[in-house]
Amino acid sequence: MPRTLGDDEVRAAVPMRDAVKAVRDAFTELAAGHFTQPERLVFGDGAVLVMTAHHAPSGTAVVKTLSVRLDRDPAILGTVVMAGTATPLVADATAVTTLRTGAVTGVATDLLAPAGAGRLALLGSGAQAADQVRAVATVRELREVAIHSRTTANARALAKRLGEEFPAVSFRVAESVEDALADAEIVNCATSSETPLFALSALPENVHVNAIGSFRPSMRELPTELLATASIVVVDQLGAALEEAGEVIKAVEDGVLDRDAIVELGAVLPSPPAVSGRTVFKSVGVAAQDWAIARSLAAHEE
């Protein structure tokens, strides 16, 4: 029987820098058609999720089963199982999910944020938050991080923990969203909000925004006006975004965002676009990301 790899084992085997590379490669392969990736199964209005992907070149497949309760810490519990390797692999889904979600933010930030961007605003202080910072720090030289959360005590604890991990970076707790965003060059949204976290007017004119928190049509972190006016809107996968990303669904339904103008991450990785103004990356998470981390874990275990 395979053992289940826990959080410490997952992170020891796949540091964030390796995770970013693995996820970047997986999205390139996804765009090339190397994955069979059905839409994820959703039960109980998102209380249970099942995600699967098969990678044809290697003959390997991953299945992730999650229990999601937003009033629980951690909100996500479950397992990731990889088949087709020499030894079947089972890993803690919380560790894999936060790592791969951070990693895709790193990929998108590297693609869309200005090369010298070093000021990050982090909205949210839950289980996903730390890996959001770690991922950006992997692809950009961070100087300042402003954290805003509806629970100030959590924001302070996170700032202290990350400050010890990144002593060269200045961390502070912002008392308001507007304060956090005032001079941000990169914004990471990692909340379960059902209403936009900020008004468009609160954003600087030149900023890259990552949004990874919402995964249901009823959830929205970003204002519709941002998606309507951004110079580019990139998603992990168009079909998944149109089914699950509340802010994308609303912007398309309102007629302010043309679905044909939405760009998939894998499609632009080979030829990075010239970017300016405000740019957006919206992720709901796809199974190819889980495969990327699980494949890295399996290679480490062999």
Side-chain angles (χ1 to χ4, degrees):
M1 289 289 291
R3 64 190 177 91
T4 300
L5 302 179
D7 184 277
D8 290 344
E9 293 166 304
V10 169
R11 294 180 183 281
V14 190
M16 182 58 78
R17 187 169 299 278
D18 294 347
V20 170
K21 182 183 184 305
V23 168
R24 181 186 288 115
D25 291 345
F27 271 95
T28 300
E29 292 208 61
L30 180 63
H34 293 165
F35 282 97
T36 300
Q37 183 178 261
E39 291 185 11
R40 66 179 162 196
L41 298 174
V42 180
F43 303 103
D45 191 30
V48 176
L49 306 175
V50 180
M51 304 171 68
T52 64
H54 176 262
H55 181 245
S58 66
T60 56
V62 68
V63 178
K64 181 169 76 172
T65 305
L66 297 178
S67 163
V68 182
R69 280 184 47 187
L70 298 179
D71 61 347
R72 179 180 62 197
D73 186 19
I76 294 173
L77 295 174
T79 57
V80 173
V81 178
M82 189 164 208
T85 53
T87 302
L89 179 138
V90 182
D92 172 61
T94 302
V96 171
T97 301
T98 59
L99 183 59
R100 60 83 143 155
T101 305
V104 77
T105 294
V107 174
T109 300
D110 199 27
L111 180 76
L112 299 172
R119 293 191 297 270
L120 170 67
L122 175 65
L123 306 183
S125 59
Q128 296 275 11
D131 277 331
Q132 291 294 300
V133 175
R134 293 177 183 125
V136 174
T138 297
V139 300
R140 290 294 182 272
E141 188 173 345
L142 285 179
R143 301 183 301 276
E144 303 171 12
V145 178
I147 303 173
H148 176 73
S149 172
R150 64 183 181 183
T151 308
T152 303
N154 289 353
R156 288 175 179 155
L158 180 63
K160 183 177 185 298
R161 178 158 57 99
L162 289 173
E164 294 169 352
E165 188 173 339
F166 298 98
V169 180
S170 173
F171 288 87
R172 69 180 180 89
V173 174
E175 296 300 321
S176 68
V177 172
E178 291 76 16
D179 177 28
L181 298 179
D183 59 356
E185 295 167 310
I186 304 167
V187 177
N188 282 20
C189 304
T191 77
S192 57
S193 180
E194 296 195 348
T195 57
L197 299 174
F198 51 84
L200 180 64
S201 59
L203 276 180
E205 290 292 333
N206 294 288
V207 66
H208 171 61
V209 180
N210 298 299
I212 61 91
S214 69
F215 60 93
R216 297 173 182 164
S218 62
M219 300 168 74
R220 293 171 59 205
E221 293 186 294
L222 306 180
T224 301
E225 294 81 5
L226 173 58
L227 275 70
T229 59
S231 61
I232 187 170
V233 176
V234 179
V235 299
D236 41 16
Q237 191 174 47
L238 182 59
L242 292 173
E243 286 289 327
E244 300 172 1
E247 45 271 278
V248 173
I249 293 169
K250 180 169 175 53
V252 171
E253 288 180 347
D254 287 353
V256 299
L257 178 63
D258 187 341
R259 59 179 291 162
D260 293 334
I262 303 171
V263 181
E264 290 191 336
L265 181 59
V268 291
L269 284 175
S271 301
V275 295
S276 61
R278 296 171 176 135
T279 59
V280 173
F281 173 63
K282 171 59 198 166
S283 175
V284 294
V286 295
Q289 294 167 248
D290 300 304
W291 176 89
I293 303 302
R295 180 61 179 153
S296 297
L297 288 170
H300 186 269
E301 289 289 295
E302 290 174 355

